[in-house]
Amino acid sequence: MESSTSCFSLVSFEEKFHRRTFKSSNLSPQTINIDSETTINVWAPNKSSKATVFKPSLVLLHGFAFNPLWNWCNQVKFLSNHFCLYIPELIFTGKSTTTSSERTEIFQAVSIGKVMDHLGVKTYSVVGSSYGGFVAYHMARLFPEKIEKVVIANSAINMRLKDNEELLKKINFEKIEDLLLPVKASQLRMLLSLTYYKPPFSPDFLLKDIIKTTMSDREENLQLLKGLTIGKSNTVEISILQQQVLIIWGEYDGLFPVEKAYELKELLGEKVSLEVIKKTSHEPMLENPKLFNDIIMKFVTDH
């Protein structure tokens, strides 16, 4: 009996529920070889559906080491009624992988651009959360003729080297990977305290289950963390984007303070608006999904 209980995973069980939500939203997983080195798994509209012809296309990019099934579980049902959704697993998440030595978020952006080309999607808008926002920014910069509108959610593209240093000092951690790629329940509990306005109840057994179930690609994700081009110095270099840009931020984000959102708005150009969602932190799409979804809908569709 004890052995049976220890084998049961609440996290795996809930992930199966999220998978069913994606499938019931007219999405199915597709594995695409974009070249001889890189394979991307993407949730895309079912090929048999005719309704997708009349909907605009929208790409959702998940956070760092964060399976899109969890990141966008509260968005797919609503947004799939209005958009052709494309939700890729970024490289070294799920089934997406590469033998290339490239590890930057720019490489991720180029790879997702190739996925959309492979799927025959000419133009689309993109929403990026946290690390996914880094990728979304570079996609908009690199493919201005393809990206229509850009949503950057709790993503400090204007991050500086000293920001991580100050955060580590504040929480008394030695390395940023101990926070973003936790191996201990205490480390994950700290991460949750920074990313949720009201952190969920998290007993040690559940936190260990999360780590065991979702952190299987830790070494590869550590390479991605070290490969980031953003936050490598205390100088910020940001290109002004041609597209209309919406910045969404949680009022009490513990990873990227809301002050970063106001600064980023000034740096990205004149076509930028900002929505701060009160009583949320780094995951507003999970803490207040209805408002988050309404904001996305209003911005992307202009009504």
Side-chain angles (χ1 to χ4, degrees):
M1 184 70 176
E2 182 179 341
S3 174
S4 175
T5 302
S6 63
C7 289
F8 178 74
S9 169
L10 286 171
V11 177
S12 296
F13 181 79
E14 186 166 354
E15 187 169 297
K16 290 179 181 178
F17 174 78
H18 295 328
R19 189 174 296 274
R20 287 198 297 270
T21 300
F22 273 52
K23 289 183 176 180
S24 67
S25 302
N26 192 41
L27 300 176
S28 58
Q30 299 182 32
T31 301
I32 299 173
N33 298 317
I34 60 172
D35 54 40
S36 61
E37 296 180 312
T38 305
T39 299
I40 302 292
N41 194 57
V42 56
W43 288 87
N46 292 325
K47 295 178 181 179
S48 59
S49 175
K50 297 181 180 180
T52 58
V53 176
F54 307 103
K55 297 178 182 178
S57 297
L58 182 65
V59 177
L60 304 182
L61 301 173
H62 61 83
F64 182 70
F66 199 4
N67 190 308
L69 291 170
W70 294 83
N71 203 147
W72 304 115
C73 60
N74 291 328
Q75 278 64 58
V76 290
K77 207 71 175 174
F78 174 79
L79 293 179
S80 64
N81 289 323
H82 307 280
F83 303 99
C84 292
L85 289 184
Y86 298 87
I87 310 178
E89 294 174 345
L90 295 175
I91 295 170
F92 297 136
T93 303
K95 296 180 180 179
S96 295
T97 187
T98 187
T99 58
S100 167
S101 60
E102 290 282 350
R103 294 294 183 267
T104 68
E105 73 281 9
I106 301 172
F107 177 63
Q108 298 267 22
V110 171
S111 297
I112 301 305
K114 289 181 178 179
V115 168
M116 300 306 289
D117 288 345
H118 181 92
L119 292 170
V121 184
K122 302 298 183 183
T123 58
Y124 48 93
S125 296
V126 61
V127 179
S129 168
S130 194
Y131 178 79
F134 298 169
V135 180
Y137 159 74
H138 284 297
M139 289 183 69
R141 180 179 63 82
L142 294 169
F143 314 126
E145 74 286 356
K146 298 177 182 178
I147 310 295
E148 296 176 324
K149 292 187 178 181
V150 185
V151 179
I152 296 172
N154 287 78
S155 182
I157 301 161
N158 51 332
M159 179 174 64
R160 297 169 173 81
L161 179 62
K162 66 179 182 179
D163 294 328
N164 276 343
E165 294 172 348
E166 291 172 357
L167 175 61
L168 291 174
K169 184 177 180 181
K170 176 183 175 182
I171 63 177
N172 197 28
F173 274 37
E174 291 186 9
K175 298 177 291 185
I176 195 65
E177 56 261 36
D178 291 340
L179 177 67
L180 300 182
L181 295 168
V183 294
K184 301 177 182 178
S186 59
Q187 294 171 339
L188 181 52
R189 183 173 287 108
M190 175 60 76
L191 179 61
L192 292 174
S193 73
L194 295 171
T195 55
Y196 283 85
Y197 176 66
K198 292 184 177 180
F201 174 65
S202 306
D204 278 5
F205 80 86
L206 180 58
L207 296 176
K208 292 176 181 178
D209 186 15
I210 294 172
I211 292 170
K212 180 180 178 181
T213 306
T214 65
M215 300 294 176
S216 58
D217 296 324
R218 189 178 192 276
E219 183 57 39
E220 289 83 356
N221 278 292
L222 180 58
Q223 294 171 21
L224 293 179
L225 197 59
K226 292 180 178 179
L228 275 173
T229 66
I230 292 172
K232 290 298 186 184
S233 72
N234 286 318
T235 301
V236 175
E237 296 182 5
I238 290 182
S239 300
I240 293 177
L241 297 180
Q242 298 180 24
Q243 302 89 345
Q244 288 186 5
V245 180
L246 170 65
I247 300 172
I248 304 177
W249 222 272
E251 181 183 16
Y252 295 100
D253 191 338
L255 286 183
F256 299 143
V258 71
E259 290 77 18
K260 286 289 178 188
Y262 291 101
E263 180 189 56
L264 183 60
K265 182 178 183 296
E266 300 304 315
L267 292 173
L268 281 176
E270 297 180 354
K271 300 179 181 180
V272 185
S273 55
L274 170 63
E275 292 275 359
V276 176
I277 300 182
K278 295 184 179 299
K279 295 183 179 180
T280 66
S281 182
H282 192 68
E283 308 291 350
M285 72 289 298
L286 297 176
E287 293 193 285
N288 193 340
K290 185 180 185 306
L291 180 55
F292 186 91
N293 294 346
D294 288 345
I295 291 172
I296 295 291
M297 181 69 183
K298 180 180 179 181
F299 172 72
V300 179
T301 63
D302 287 322
H303 64 79

